[in-house]
Amino acid sequence: MAAMAALQSSMTTLSLSSNSFLGQRFSPSLYPVPVKSVEKPCLIVMRLKRWERKECKPNSLPVLQKMHVKLGDTVKVIAGNEKGKVGEITRIFKHNSTVIVKDMNLKTKHMKSREEGEPGQIVKVEGPIHSSNVMLYSKEQNVASRVGHKILEDGSRVRYLIKTGEIIDNKENWKRVSKEKQLAEKVEA
């Protein structure tokens, strides 16, 4: 009892009531209440399929794959519906390792009419083929071969066909391909 009386006397000297802090909140004027943001997170999330995703670098540009074929190469298709056919590469897509070979893998595209009175049409379009399904081809010896790399005496690094030893990269071939590409762009424009 004496302890209780001593406690009460000490509280009165401090001018505090016994229930001043027990189970009560501090007044809101002393401590600001945190304000919740009004923005709600977007509930709809677009998900790409695994085969639709492109692997990206940290700067958000797609990772470009190294390929054994280049623009203007003569290739033989070794897999798929066009197996065994020979053609020239007209376009390359490095982000997914596909190539377009001239007059191969034709798809039908139904085009709407652009103007009134003009009829719609059905157009044949070349579809892409994965680069692993084509192999470099030698026109002189009529043989498909894997590609190798070697350094010539003048220090230039060239590609060659392993079976025949034929050098693929030469300046004349590259100039011819670039001229054909420029002519095609002029015709389209």
Side-chain angles (χ1 to χ4, degrees):
M1 228 25 191
M4 188 66 135
L7 183 65
Q8 285 179 348
S9 67
S10 66
M11 286 196 141
T12 54
T13 57
L14 292 172
S15 71
L16 295 172
S17 64
S18 62
N19 61 356
S20 63
F21 291 113
L22 301 175
Q24 294 182 3
R25 291 187 179 163
F26 293 114
S27 64
S29 60
L30 297 175
Y31 299 97
V33 178
V35 179
K36 293 183 180 178
S37 64
V38 182
E39 287 183 44
K40 293 183 180 178
C42 182
L43 299 176
I44 301 170
V45 178
M46 172 120 178
R47 294 224 162 201
L48 291 174
K49 303 281 190 232
R50 193 170 66 248
W51 58 87
E52 290 175 336
R53 284 189 221 136
K54 291 179 187 170
E55 190 179 338
C56 291
K57 296 186 264 185
N59 61 358
S60 300
L61 292 174
V63 174
L64 301 179
Q65 310 293 329
K66 276 200 162 192
M67 291 196 281
H68 65 287
V69 291
K70 289 185 181 177
L71 198 70
D73 286 348
T74 304
V75 293
K76 182 176 185 177
V77 180
I78 58 171
N81 293 339
E82 307 285 335
K83 183 176 180 178
K85 294 185 181 177
V86 177
E88 189 175 325
I89 291 180
T90 57
R91 200 158 172 208
I92 288 181
F93 302 105
K94 286 193 172 186
H95 66 273
N96 57 1
S97 296
T98 56
V99 295
I100 290 183
V101 184
K102 191 174 186 179
D103 299 328
M104 299 268 181
N105 198 19
L106 294 174
K107 311 281 185 194
T108 56
K109 182 169 179 150
H110 296 262
M111 304 285 286
K112 279 189 175 180
S113 60
R114 292 183 181 221
E115 299 172 6
E116 268 188 49
E118 183 185 337
Q121 52 188 345
I122 298 173
V123 181
K124 295 275 187 184
V125 179
E126 297 159 343
I129 301 172
H130 198 270
S131 64
S132 65
N133 294 338
V134 296
M135 204 171 194
L136 284 163
Y137 187 77
S138 171
K139 287 181 185 174
E140 285 101 33
Q141 299 187 7
N142 297 330
V143 65
S145 171
R146 289 183 295 135
V147 66
H149 299 273
K150 65 180 173 184
I151 299 171
L152 299 177
E153 293 84 25
D154 61 351
S156 59
R157 187 170 181 259
V158 294
R159 296 178 305 146
Y160 73 100
L161 296 178
I162 290 177
K163 277 187 185 175
T164 62
E166 178 185 335
I167 294 176
I168 305 163
D169 291 334
N170 55 10
K171 292 179 182 175
E172 294 82 25
N173 186 29
W174 182 248
K175 286 179 183 175
R176 179 184 59 82
V177 170
S178 61
K179 282 182 183 177
E180 287 176 2
K181 190 175 181 181
Q182 289 174 354
L183 289 172
E185 288 176 359
K186 287 180 183 177
V187 169
E188 287 177 7

